[in-house]
């Protein structure tokens, strides 16, 4: 989606709410390699055990837990694959946003460019 205030960016407060938001967490082929290595499993094992087809059936997405949160969310706000998390996770909310994001995201608005 288009970003409404290009001169404004958001500093993540690590609330973990975006990791609980139901929906796809897309992983690219390169990210699959990095995450599989981080988890010490083969890429095939990672794909079979940790991913599903995205809603549009064009990509692979990390599996959701029954409550809709990401499989790799531990506790309130700890990402089990933080050092190799997908670009989708790094880019929210400065590079992309979902409808209603401001109601759940606790990021603080600042002037200038920020990334998670
Ligand atoms: S991979 Fe990590 S940062 Fe991304 S949604 Fe899952 S828990 Fe959150
Ligand atoms: S991006 Fe927003 S919703 Fe996600 S952890 Fe940071 S403050 Fe919370």
């Amino acid at each position: 989606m288009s970003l409404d205030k290009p001169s404004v960016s958001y500093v993540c407060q690590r609330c973990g709410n975006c990791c609980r938001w139901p929906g796809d967490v897309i992983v690219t082929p390169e990210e699959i390699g990095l995450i599989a290595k981080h988890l010490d499993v083969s890429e095939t094992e990672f794909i079979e055990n940790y991913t599903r087809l995205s809603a549009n059936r064009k990509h692979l997405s990390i599996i959701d837990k029954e409550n809709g949160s990401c499989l790799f969310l531990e506790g309130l706000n700890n990402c089990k694959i933080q050092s190799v998390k997908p670009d989708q996770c790094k880019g929210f909310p400065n590079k992309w946003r979902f409808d209603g994001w401001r109601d759940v995201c606790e990021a603080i608005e600042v002037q200038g460019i920020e990334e998670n």
Side-chain angles (χ1 to χ4, degrees), residues 6-7 21 26 36 46 49 58 62 68-69 73 77 82 92 107 113:
S7 62
W21 190 259
I26 303 297
F46 175 75
N49 297 323
K58 291 182 178 176
I62 294 172
S69 66
L73 178 63
N77 60 356
Q82 172 67 23
F92 179 81
I113 306 299

Side-chain angles (χ1 to χ4, degrees), residues 25-53 59-63 70-72 80-81 84-86:
V25 181
I26 303 297
V27 282
T28 65
E30 183 183 23
E31 289 167 346
I32 286 170
L34 291 171
I35 298 169
K37 189 176 179 187
H38 179 78
L39 296 173
D40 198 23
V41 298
S42 70
E43 292 188 21
T44 302
E45 285 176 303
F46 175 75
I47 291 168
E48 287 179 354
N49 297 323
Y50 297 89
T51 69
R52 59 165 173 77
L53 268 182
H59 307 281
L60 288 176
S61 170
I62 294 172
I63 288 175
C70 175
L71 183 66
F72 291 125
K80 190 177 175 185
I81 58 168
V84 289
K85 67 183 180 182

Side-chain angles (χ1 to χ4, degrees), residues 2-10 94 97 110-113:
S2 65
L3 302 182
D4 42 348
K5 300 178 189 173
S7 62
V8 164
S9 59
Y10 297 87
N94 286 306
R97 297 163 197 166
V110 297
Q111 295 294 323
I113 306 299

